[in-house]
Amino acid sequence: MDMQNSKNAFYEAKKVIPGGVDSPVRAFKSVGGTPIFIKKGHGAYLRDIDGNDYVDFVQSWGPLIFGHCDKDIQKAVIKSAKKGLSFGAPTKIETKLAKKICDLFDGIDKIRFVSSGTEAVMSAIRLARGYTRRDDIVKFEGCYHGHSDSLLVQAGSGAVTFGTPSSPGVPADFTKHTLLAKYNDIQSVKECFVNSKDIACVIIEPIAGNMGLIPADIEFLEELKKVCEENGALLIFDEVMSGFRASLKGATGLVGVKPDLITFGKVIGGGMPVGAFGGLGEVMDQLSPDGPVYQAGTLSGNPVAMHAGYASLKKITKNEEIYEEFEEKATTLMQGFQKEAKKAGITLQINVRGSMFGFFFNENEVKNFDDALKSDTKMFAKFHEGMLTRGFYFACSQFETGFISTKISDKMIEKSIKAASKVFKEIA
Ligand SMILES: *Cc1c(COP(=O)(O)O)cnc(C)c1O
């Protein structure tokens, strides 16, 4: 497969863009090689600038639930763009999209739109702090909530649960209010509440998708809700990835635990830059202009983006059965991979939730970040390259999630498994 044009384009990009990319994972650092540059998408496929087609299991990291160039979403975007790109004043489509989400989630009375997942989470946390008048927050190792300062934390040295910055440029003072707990481990959460009486909220990906795919145990989430209630802290589900992906009602719809606030992104914009956070009216009303908690955005609720999101969600709610189809396809793919890997003497751990799938090159069950880190990332890198050169585009890191779109057919799943079978034999 010729990728020379992509190689040249990457070389040129690196001269003027740090690392050649606008978001680090795209640079292929963890799998080696160089990224393919995209010319266009069509249905289930990506086409690179060398003219190669790939079955796309990344889907722009989640948003494109109907694949590339979905006609209905395209139509809505073009129609809206013709009337103007942005007004910085209210439009009715914002209310329409808000109503749709409030109707879907019984825990959401009100919702506000922003332009990215990072912004949604950052704002939800400020709101939780403003509402509870407390400063500390709890997050889980391995969960990703965007790149705002207080969330870029890693476990500190020693036994303390307070996080230290995971990036230069983040003052330790900004992360000293972030406590770290272990995913699927309620004891570690209880310890946070022993260490601090000032916890405003606990934020979690109820289906973690940023350390590979690791769903939280339902009993764990039930306990989590209880611990939050007992301590007067809010529970925030970060559904930027799992929202409208794991099920029509996201992870919240699957686990039966009701959080106080939910954050969205990715699918909610149908491919345009949209994020949102919503929840109990009493909490949401603390936001300015009605309440004292400040939050704003010049392009928030952008009409073109809102129309893309609305077209996408309208189509989803009209075709609820897609989630069953997703789960069937994702399960077939993952079980196929696991079986073929086993034949080559490789053990894969697999997970599926709706249209989300994940696989770890790991001998043991993966329940948290520490377990995930024990995966064989070198073998993953070889697998990734083997699949890429055969025309299958998977996320370029062991610690990401894969996605099925409605455009991915049974035949494509079958071909992917066949290709994977060959790759497993090569890399074993
Ligand atoms: C992608 C993601 C974010 C960040 O969203 P951006 O739009 O990239 O800022 C936050 N939380 C979760 C769970 C995500 O998957």
Side-chain angles (χ1 to χ4, degrees):
M1 189 177 271
D2 186 9
M3 297 178 179
Q4 197 54 46
N5 288 343
S6 280
K7 285 192 179 116
N8 296 347
F10 191 47
Y11 178 78
E12 287 302 317
K14 280 200 283 195
K15 290 183 193 167
V16 284
I17 299 172
V21 291
D22 285 311
S23 196
V25 70
R26 297 178 197 167
F28 274 37
K29 283 256 182 202
S30 57
V31 289
T34 55
I36 56 166
F37 274 57
I38 309 305
K39 184 171 184 193
K40 65 173 201 170
H42 54 113
Y45 295 95
L46 279 177
R47 182 167 301 163
D48 70 14
I49 56 174
D50 287 281
N52 305 306
D53 278 334
Y54 306 84
V55 178
D56 184 8
F57 288 106
V58 180
Q59 299 296 323
S60 185
W61 305 97
L64 309 180
I65 201 154
F66 294 105
H68 297 277
C69 306
D70 178 80
K71 287 279 174 294
D72 297 315
I73 300 171
Q74 252 181 5
K75 226 189 277 168
V77 166
I78 293 165
K79 196 171 157 204
S80 172
K82 282 184 172 168
K83 291 181 186 160
L85 296 182
S86 177
F87 312 115
T91 54
K92 278 165 80 176
I93 186 67
E94 294 160 72
T95 310
K96 231 168 135 179
L97 184 56
K99 264 197 184 141
K100 188 134 199 95
I101 297 158
C102 294
D103 285 349
L104 267 181
F105 288 78
D106 53 343
I108 299 186
D109 304 326
K110 291 189 179 176
I111 188 160
R112 181 167 279 176
F113 297 107
V114 292
S115 300
S116 71
T118 295
E119 238 186 299
V121 174
M122 190 182 80
S123 307
I125 284 176
R126 182 180 305 145
L127 177 59
R129 282 172 161 159
Y131 175 77
T132 57
R133 306 275 161 160
R134 296 177 179 179
D135 286 341
D136 293 345
I137 62 173
V138 176
K139 89 171 275 285
F140 293 87
E141 283 169 14
C143 281
Y144 178 69
H145 304 292
H147 65 97
S148 67
D149 283 339
S150 65
L151 291 163
L152 288 184
V153 295
Q154 60 192 356
S157 54
V160 290
T161 47
F162 289 87
T164 58
S166 62
S167 164
V170 178
D173 276 355
F174 289 16
T175 56
K176 73 177 184 198
H177 292 294
T178 308
L179 286 73
L180 274 180
K182 202 176 211 146
Y183 205 70
N184 277 323
D185 178 349
I186 197 67
Q187 202 48 44
S188 72
V189 179
K190 288 181 178 164
E191 275 164 32
C192 290
F193 280 98
V194 169
N195 284 344
S196 167
K197 294 288 164 245
D198 198 33
I199 295 174
C201 63
V202 175
I203 183 159
I204 186 167
E205 288 178 78
I207 296 174
N210 288 288
M211 48 176 160
L213 183 65
I214 309 178
D217 297 330
I218 290 182
E219 311 77 66
F220 168 71
L221 292 173
E222 287 167 350
E223 282 281 306
L224 191 60
K225 171 85 184 166
K226 219 170 90 197
V227 173
C228 285
E229 271 175 356
E230 283 166 4
N231 290 281
L234 299 186
L235 177 61
I236 305 177
F237 276 3
D238 182 352
E239 294 233 50
V240 169
M241 186 189 290
S242 54
F244 316 103
R245 266 287 170 196
S247 81
L248 179 63
K249 299 181 186 189
T252 308
L254 291 180
V255 300
V257 174
K258 211 167 95 181
D260 300 297
L261 291 170
I262 306 181
T263 56
F264 298 99
K266 299 187 173 123
V267 171
I268 206 176
M272 297 289 283
V274 181
F277 61 106
L280 300 173
E282 181 194 326
V283 181
M284 293 300 288
D285 283 339
Q286 290 296 306
L287 282 174
S288 59
D290 284 355
V293 179
Y294 190 70
Q295 190 277 328
T298 302
L299 291 173
S300 291
N302 172 272
V304 183
M306 292 289 102
H307 273 106
Y310 186 74
S312 182
L313 292 201
K314 192 168 116 189
K315 196 160 172 160
I316 287 173
T317 43
K318 267 196 191 156
N319 299 281
E320 276 189 52
E321 71 287 352
I322 56 175
Y323 291 96
E324 261 168 56
E325 293 163 21
F326 285 148
E327 182 129 350
E328 265 174 41
K329 282 177 187 160
T331 304
T332 306
L333 183 73
M334 285 299 93
Q335 288 179 348
F337 274 21
Q338 193 176 46
K339 196 167 137 225
E340 295 306 318
K342 195 171 173 201
K343 282 188 202 159
I346 298 169
T347 309
L348 277 193
Q349 304 296 329
I350 56 169
N351 277 313
V352 169
R353 285 293 182 280
S355 64
M356 307 164 73
F357 66 83
F359 51 100
F360 292 100
F361 287 85
N362 199 314
E363 296 283 330
N364 303 302
E365 198 187 8
V366 178
K367 299 293 284 180
N368 57 44
F369 192 44
D370 288 341
D371 296 343
L373 286 179
K374 289 180 191 132
S375 306
D376 189 340
T377 52
K378 288 206 179 88
M379 189 170 271
F380 176 85
K382 287 185 206 155
F383 175 79
H384 182 268
E385 193 193 352
M387 292 305 279
L388 187 72
T389 52
R390 284 173 170 81
F392 299 90
Y393 192 74
F394 283 89
C396 50
S397 159
Q398 169 70 97
F399 307 111
E400 298 288 350
T401 292
F403 301 102
I404 304 285
S405 77
T406 54
K407 302 292 193 298
I408 289 185
S409 65
D410 291 333
K411 188 103 198 145
M412 290 174 196
I413 299 279
E414 209 179 289
K415 281 187 178 165
S416 309
I417 296 170
K418 276 200 183 126
S421 167
K422 287 188 190 131
V423 176
F424 287 133
K425 278 179 198 132
E426 272 172 25
I427 66 177

